[in-house]
Structure formats: C-alpha cells, structure tokens
Amino acid sequence: MKIRGRCACGQTRYEIAAGTALDSANCHCRTCRQSTGGTYVTWATIPRCAFHWTGRRPRAYASNPRTQRYFCGICGAQLALVTTREPATMDVIVATFVNAERCPPTRNIWLSRKLGWVPVDRRLKGEEKES
C-alpha cells in the first residue's frame, strides 16, 4: 500500500512506494523550526526513486547551499526537502502523510539546538547533531 500525502489545501499531493521509509526522526534544528513554524519537525527519510508528485507541482527554495525545500505554492505548507549530502534520499514531513500515525519517529536529532521548554520523548534515541 502506497503512502499518500498532501499539503493543507490538497492541491500539492504525492505518493511514496510502500515499505520504503528508511528512517523517521524528530528534528529540533532552527532551520526546520523556522521553515515550518513548529517546535520540531518529524521527517521520514525515503529513497528519492520511491517518491513522486501527483498533484500540483510544489514550489522550492534553497534553505542553505546544500538543501532544497519544497512547499505548496497556494497554502504554503512545507512538504519535503532534498540535500546534496544524501542525493539518493529525500525527507518528507510525516505530518503531511494521510496516515501519519503509521510512521512514528525512532529518534530525536539536533537536540543541541532544541528549544529548552520543549519536552523530549526519552524512549527515543537522541543525537546532539545528526548521524
């Protein structure tokens, strides 16, 4: 069964081949917080070849020289990113999955950048940066 996702307005949609999520992590870095407006963001890492846009094409911007972020040009919802550090994979925001509860995080990353008042699930592996 494919993983389907979409932006808030439903115009920008995507599909991910079933069983292809490699990792799911809560990212506490400042760039992720600022780009989404959240206290942290849960990302699923998947092979780029398993992903394709099915609705309106997203807009993109470079959040740094190595990272391209994708968002809906209508509602502004952040959806995914690709980085030159890992060109065969991409990260997709789990909250945009139609069935997000099926992809819980397994770790917290960038805890060194976490907001002090944000609680962390200590049952998950924690990393000061990202391995």
Side-chain angles (χ1 to χ4, degrees), residues 90-131:
M90 68 185 296
D91 294 321
V92 183
I93 295 179
V94 171
T96 66
F97 291 3
V98 171
N99 293 312
E101 65 280 349
R102 293 184 183 169
C103 193
T106 59
R107 62 192 178 118
N108 285 293
I109 58 175
W110 287 104
L111 289 172
S112 62
R113 304 287 171 90
K114 181 184 84 60
L115 294 170
W117 48 265
V118 173
V120 172
D121 185 345
R122 297 292 176 193
R123 296 173 294 178
L124 303 179
K125 179 183 172 186
E127 299 174 25
E128 289 301 304
K129 293 185 178 182
E130 181 180 11
S131 60

Side-chain angles (χ1 to χ4, degrees), residues 3-22:
I3 296 171
R4 289 181 170 79
R6 65 183 195 89
C7 65
C9 72
Q11 295 295 306
T12 304
R13 295 180 305 279
Y14 61 83
E15 290 183 348
I16 302 169
T20 57
L22 304 173

Side-chain angles (χ1 to χ4, degrees), residues 43-58:
W43 296 99
T45 302
I46 60 160
R48 283 179 83 170
C49 63
F51 181 95
H52 71 278
W53 300 106
T54 59
R56 183 182 187 100
R57 299 292 292 180

Side-chain angles (χ1 to χ4, degrees), residues 30-96:
R30 186 172 191 223
T31 304
C32 285
R33 292 194 322 262
Q34 287 182 323
S35 69
T36 65
T39 54
Y40 62 88
V41 180
T42 305
W43 296 99
T45 302
I46 60 160
R48 283 179 83 170
C49 63
F51 181 95
H52 71 278
W53 300 106
T54 59
R56 183 182 187 100
R57 299 292 292 180
R59 299 212 36 210
Y61 72 97
S63 59
N64 66 50
R66 298 171 308 277
T67 306
Q68 191 83 3
R69 292 178 182 261
Y70 296 93
F71 65 98
C72 174
I74 298 172
C75 69
Q78 295 283 320
L79 299 163
L81 68 76
V82 295
T83 178
T84 58
R85 288 182 178 161
E86 297 289 335
T89 65
M90 68 185 296
D91 294 321
V92 183
I93 295 179
V94 171
T96 66

